[in-house]
Amino acid sequence: QKTKEGFLSKITKAIAGKSTVDDEVLDQLEEALVGADVGIDTTLAIIERIEKRVKQDKYVNTTELNQLLQQEIQDMLVEAPDFSYKDFEIPEGKKPYVILVVGVNGVGKTTTIGKLAHNYKKAGKEVILGAADTFRAAAVDQLTIWSERVGVPIVKQAMGSDPSAVAFDTVKSAVARDADVVIIDTAGRLHNKLHLMDELGKIKRVIQKVIPDAPHEVMLVLDGSTGQNALEQARQFTATTEVTALSITKLDGTAKGGVVLAIANQFKIPVKYIGVGEKIDDLIIFNKHEFVDSLFRITDK
Amino acid sequence: MFQNLSERLESAFKNLKGESRINDLNIANTVKDIRRALIDADVNFKIAKEFTDKVKDKAVGEKVINAISPGQLMVKIVQDELTELMGGTEAAFNVTGNPAVILIAGLQGSGKTTFTGKLASYLKTKKGKSPLVVAADIYRPAAIDQLTVLAEQVGVDIYSERENKDAVAIALNAIKEAKTKNKNVVIIDTAGRLAVDEVMMKEVADIKAAVNPTEILFVVDSMTGQDAVNTAKAFNDRLDFSGVVLTKLDGDTRGGAALSIKYTVNKPIKFVSSGEKLDTLDVFYPERMAQRILGMGDITTLVEKA
Ligand SMILES: Nc1nc2c(ncn2[C@@H]2O[C@H](COP(=O)(O)OP(=O)(O)OP(=O)(O)O)[C@@H](O)[C@H]2O)c(=O)[nH]1
Ligand SMILES: Nc1nc2c(ncn2[C@@H]2O[C@H](COP(=O)(O)OP(=O)(O)OP(=O)(O)O)[C@@H](O)[C@H]2O)c(=O)[nH]1
Ligand SMILES: [Mg+2]
Ligand SMILES: [Mg+2]
């Protein structure tokens, strides 16, 4: 297990010896937030609210600042709607439960699908994977290896075939087999490429021909080391596919990933999972209280 | 939001019309605007600060003349400085040696394998070389298959050992193979790794030590945020790489990471990758990158218009 300091631990340390919140403390806070990819707008919004409180209450000491800050950040992270994601159960009456996984190139979609399938299977669910990335070199082979690792069936066609056709086949086959969960992998695509985004819309429509209220979940995978462009990714993917949940990957590499705050706040999409490694078990159900806590955590090196 | 930084700078300078020179006071807000634009473009915040301080020093004392608005003058200074910083000395790409050995390294998913294919294609078609690509990623599922498909598309040979779990040995064997097969360039694709992963960082350092590369390229996703600085530094500390490859520039990211990396390790950006297809490899234009980071379109024409 790799441990690292949360990005706000710096501010915790910086204000430890001080009794009140002054400009210097706020400057340091700004640095810590911006330095963690929270972004200028969101950072300034947070600082403004804290400044207001400081003005209003006159004497805000640094312990209170810490609490205030934790509260602010928690408030920005939306709670998952409908049912809370505490385990790998699927909601009533949604069988098979169809998850469509989308995102830009190389963020970790296929790997996340492997880990997800493993978790659903562990929870006793029957899982089926759909290899609708028919474009990237050996994408089908990669998902096939994951399906073997996990021990779940995969629906695939030849490279270069129509991804919607694969999605259609997968969902059909899931219904026929009475499977519980369907997870469909898609090719990485940059959100500014219109024809590729349209293709996602088509995949969605084709799935709906089999199950009208599917996909039940559209999961946007974001790379935790991405900067402000992640906001644009969230915007464009939401516009095309109505993203319902986020997964943030590669958080084993960086204590940052602060752009998530801005995204969750701006688009009101809950973060569902975080990826913390390349292994099958390296997926964690996101818990916002723990997450916020970890941002402030000071780890001894 | 910073799409129109130049417009905002112009209006910020409107109230400067009466004054004859730029000074610390009348420039303060503008410097802040520029700094925010840079941070919004993912330039590391410390670097953004140092950079704008330098720009301020350059601007202070400049005469406010009527022919060109102070806003535009400021933009010009910023852009020139950025371009200079990004450009530096034009470094050639070295493929001499028999064989020349090129080592590819970087974080997971940054685009290494795709770039390996692109570089092989470039060296084959544009430089008349005969490359051998090497699958030294022994971890990622189907990594060998992926490179095999790409090599086939490009029409170059691939070296791989499906059963061997020693990346250093694979790399060394590949070079032997290149010699017997008369391949004059060997491109070694390695697994993605995190800078904080000591075991994996040692592996790539070991590969370097064993094969003594002609070029070591650090492949980085242009969408990377503030952590680009730490990552680049960590890889450079271990590998002393010879150049940077900036990928996924076909997206709409401002790509401020490029500036951060250049600033931190001062290594040239040797290639730009902008697409999934194998012919989308470009050389790097510092001026275009500077404009992109500032998100202002073509500044040169803007200033000429004035
Ligand atoms: N360290 C780390 N690496 C990860 C994580 N998730 C994925 N990866 C790695 O990131 C790389 C890309 O992962 P993929 O799953 O292939 O990403 P993708 O989004 O499917 O990529 P494309 O299909 O090419 O767009 C692989 O090397 C994965 O092992 C994570 O949570 N932590
Ligand atoms: N749009 C676009 N996609 C790219 C570019 N370069 C690579 N990709 C895509 O990014 C994804 C990851 O690329 P890979 O070449 O597999 O990355 P990698 O660094 O080898 O990944 P690992 O080996 O898992 O660490 C794939 O979907 C590629 O097609 C680029 O310049 N533009
Ligand atoms: Mg994939
Ligand atoms: Mg690779």
Side-chain angles (χ1 to χ4, degrees):
Chain A
Q1 184 77 39
K2 300 178 195 87
T3 47
K4 55 200 176 311
E5 296 210 342
F7 69 75
L8 291 172
S9 64
K10 213 164 87 191
I11 181 82
T12 306
K13 276 191 273 184
I15 59 180
K18 298 196 170 183
S19 55
T20 58
V21 175
D22 55 17
D23 279 354
E24 202 193 321
V25 168
L26 290 176
D27 271 358
Q28 266 163 344
L29 179 59
E30 181 176 333
E31 264 195 37
L33 290 168
V34 166
D37 290 320
V38 172
I40 271 285
D41 287 350
T42 312
T43 297
L44 292 181
I46 293 175
I47 288 183
E48 213 168 90
R49 281 204 287 270
I50 286 175
E51 262 177 334
K52 226 186 228 160
R53 270 290 298 274
V54 171
K55 262 204 195 108
Q56 186 187 343
D57 298 356
K58 298 249 167 38
Y59 297 104
V60 171
N61 67 33
T62 49
T63 321
E64 282 169 301
L65 172 71
N66 243 338
Q67 278 165 4
L68 221 68
L69 199 53
Q70 298 214 10
Q71 197 52 53
E72 282 290 336
I73 290 175
Q74 275 196 27
D75 289 349
M76 298 182 79
L77 292 163
V78 278
E79 211 67 81
D82 299 343
F83 55 101
S84 52
Y85 306 117
K86 294 210 174 53
D87 47 33
F88 289 87
E89 288 309 313
I90 57 170
E92 251 346 90
K94 291 181 180 170
K95 182 184 161 142
Y97 186 69
V98 180
I99 306 171
L100 181 66
V101 180
V102 301
V104 301
N105 308 79
V107 288
K109 295 176 292 299
T110 307
T111 309
T112 302
I113 290 169
K115 298 173 187 173
L116 262 180
H118 170 67
N119 278 291
Y120 276 116
K121 194 185 176 203
K122 252 191 357 197
K125 302 285 175 281
E126 237 179 83
V127 186
I128 184 162
L129 303 182
D133 178 357
T134 58
F135 178 73
R136 211 217 54 224
V140 175
D141 298 320
Q142 186 187 2
L143 192 68
T144 302
I145 291 176
W146 274 107
S147 80
E148 284 161 4
R149 260 187 203 173
V150 178
V152 294
I154 178 172
V155 173
K156 56 187 172 185
Q157 291 181 12
M159 287 305 291
S161 54
D162 180 6
S164 330
V166 179
F168 184 81
D169 275 7
T170 313
V171 179
K172 268 246 144 156
S173 153
V175 172
R177 290 168 189 237
D178 198 25
D180 300 298
V181 183
V182 180
I183 315 177
I184 296 173
D185 191 14
T186 62
R189 66 200 72 224
L190 292 175
H191 50 282
N192 60 338
K193 301 205 168 158
L194 289 181
H195 60 292
L196 293 178
M197 295 305 277
D198 287 347
E199 183 187 86
L200 277 186
K202 189 178 164 208
I203 292 176
K204 222 181 125 170
R205 285 193 298 278
V206 161
I207 293 173
Q208 284 163 347
K209 280 193 191 158
V210 187
I211 305 174
D213 68 336
H216 306 98
E217 196 169 310
V218 177
M219 163 119 42
L220 173 65
V221 180
L222 298 168
D223 182 328
S225 58
T226 304
Q228 298 309 299
N229 193 249
L231 279 165
E232 215 41 56
Q233 294 171 23
R235 183 168 298 125
Q236 303 299 344
F237 276 98
T238 308
T240 329
T241 56
E242 294 164 83
V243 173
T244 60
L246 304 173
S247 274
I248 320 297
T249 61
K250 308 183 194 174
L251 283 181
D252 46 329
T254 163
K256 301 175 195 284
V259 71
V260 178
L261 292 184
I263 290 174
N265 188 40
Q266 207 166 316
F267 299 97
K268 306 293 172 213
I269 309 169
V271 179
K272 203 169 166 186
Y273 306 107
I274 58 177
V276 292
E278 300 181 78
K279 305 250 164 61
I280 202 165
D281 281 313
D282 293 333
L283 186 78
I284 299 176
I285 295 183
F286 181 78
N287 173 316
K288 77 173 185 177
H289 307 285
E290 272 173 25
F291 178 73
V292 173
D293 216 44
S294 79
L295 301 182
F296 291 86
R297 194 172 300 148
I298 300 172
T299 328
D300 289 320
K301 289 215 168 146
Chain B
M1 138 186 210
F2 290 103
Q3 210 69 47
N4 42 20
L5 176 70
S6 45
E7 269 167 42
R8 290 186 29 195
L9 291 187
E10 295 233 8
S11 69
F13 273 97
K14 281 250 163 65
N15 52 7
L16 219 145
K17 274 277 148 69
E19 312 201 23
S20 60
R21 275 173 202 280
I22 293 176
N23 62 45
D24 270 342
L25 275 179
N26 58 29
I27 206 183
N29 280 328
T30 310
V31 169
K32 209 184 237 171
D33 271 351
I34 295 171
R35 182 149 82 225
R36 287 191 177 152
L38 292 175
I39 292 171
D40 209 49
D42 292 322
V43 174
N44 179 271
F45 72 93
K46 277 189 193 133
I47 293 170
K49 185 162 188 314
E50 281 176 41
F51 179 79
T52 45
D53 283 349
K54 198 167 139 205
V55 165
K56 191 175 77 180
D57 288 346
K58 281 243 152 128
V60 165
E62 288 276 345
K63 263 197 196 135
V64 177
I65 42 176
N66 288 331
I68 170 173
S69 83
Q72 287 170 345
L73 173 66
M74 201 54 197
V75 164
K76 185 87 176 71
I77 295 174
V78 172
Q79 215 219 333
D80 287 350
E81 284 295 308
L82 261 184
T83 306
E84 200 194 304
L85 210 151
M86 302 283 291
T89 47
E90 194 60 51
F93 186 64
N94 185 3
V95 276
T96 55
N98 215 355
V101 177
I102 300 159
L103 181 63
I104 312 291
L107 295 180
Q108 283 96 345
S110 55
K112 296 175 294 299
T113 307
T114 308
F115 172 73
T116 301
K118 289 184 182 190
L119 184 63
S121 169
Y122 166 83
L123 291 175
K124 183 189 164 189
T125 57
K126 300 262 161 68
K127 301 282 163 191
K129 295 279 175 186
S130 101
L132 177 71
V133 296
V134 183
D137 176 354
I138 53 175
Y139 308 95
R140 169 171 163 162
I144 296 176
D145 302 315
Q146 187 186 1
L147 192 60
T148 305
V149 171
L150 296 178
E152 217 163 83
Q153 283 172 7
V154 176
V156 296
D157 283 356
I158 176 172
Y159 184 84
S160 68
E161 296 181 40
R162 291 207 181 249
E163 301 311 319
N164 197 340
K165 287 290 159 213
D166 180 350
V168 178
I170 294 171
L172 283 172
N173 293 342
I175 291 171
K176 266 188 232 146
E177 168 113 337
K179 283 180 180 154
T180 55
K181 281 195 170 172
N182 271 329
K183 303 287 172 193
N184 48 21
V185 187
V186 174
I187 311 172
I188 305 172
D189 179 29
T190 62
R193 64 202 74 226
L194 297 173
V196 294
D197 190 334
E198 180 48 37
V199 176
M200 288 297 286
M201 289 307 281
K202 181 173 182 301
E203 182 201 70
V204 70
D206 287 348
I207 298 178
K208 176 192 171 181
V211 303
N212 190 24
T214 333
E215 290 272 357
I216 303 173
L217 297 177
F218 173 60
V219 179
V220 65
D221 187 326
S222 59
M223 297 180 271
T224 313
Q226 296 284 320
D227 214 34
V229 166
N230 302 327
T231 310
K233 200 173 169 307
F235 273 84
N236 195 48
D237 285 350
R238 282 316 263 275
L239 296 176
D240 188 19
F241 53 73
S242 57
V244 177
V245 179
L246 210 55
T247 64
K248 307 180 197 173
L249 268 176
D250 45 330
D252 56 3
T253 181
R254 292 260 199 277
L259 175 65
S260 301
I261 292 168
K262 185 75 200 332
Y263 197 97
T264 307
V265 297
N266 195 26
K267 294 287 168 70
I269 297 169
K270 291 199 172 172
F271 293 101
V272 158
S273 177
S274 52
E276 295 188 77
K277 304 247 168 66
L278 292 169
D279 58 358
T280 47
L281 189 68
D282 272 318
V283 289
F284 175 71
Y285 298 103
E287 198 173 325
R288 281 192 208 165
M289 197 65 218
Q291 288 174 354
R292 181 179 183 131
I293 289 175
L294 288 167
M296 307 194 301
D298 196 347
I299 305 303
T300 340
T301 52
L302 203 150
V303 173
E304 274 161 7
K305 226 168 44 196

